[in-house]
Amino acid sequence: MAKSKWVSFFLCLFVGVFGAHKFYLKKYILGGIYLACEIIGLYLCSTELYYFSNVPLFMVVAPYILTAIDFILLVFTPTKKLEQKYNFRFK
């Protein structure tokens, strides 16, 4: 099935911090890393471990930074290049 640039764009925009756009592009390992970092980081921030270490804060912030980078790359990469890389369909 051909992948749409705009679907991946909106997934990245709204739920990219959970790796939804990576799962859509069939990059399951990266999507899992985004998802695991976010869930583990949020869990650790809600416990007492947050007060003893800055690691949970990094685990929560890292997916946001990576999602912002992915968003910028999706916006500025030409559609033809994305089509070659991910088999995008463009009209």
Side-chain angles (χ1 to χ4, degrees), residues 27-65:
K27 292 189 170 191
Y28 301 119
I29 294 174
L30 285 175
I33 291 171
Y34 278 57
L35 185 62
C37 282
E38 189 64 26
I39 290 173
I40 292 169
L42 288 174
Y43 172 74
L44 291 177
C45 281
S46 67
T47 63
E48 295 176 4
L49 294 174
Y50 175 72
Y51 300 107
F52 301 113
S53 172
N54 287 330
V55 173
L57 181 63
F58 173 74
M59 290 182 76
V60 172
V61 173
Y64 287 95
I65 294 169

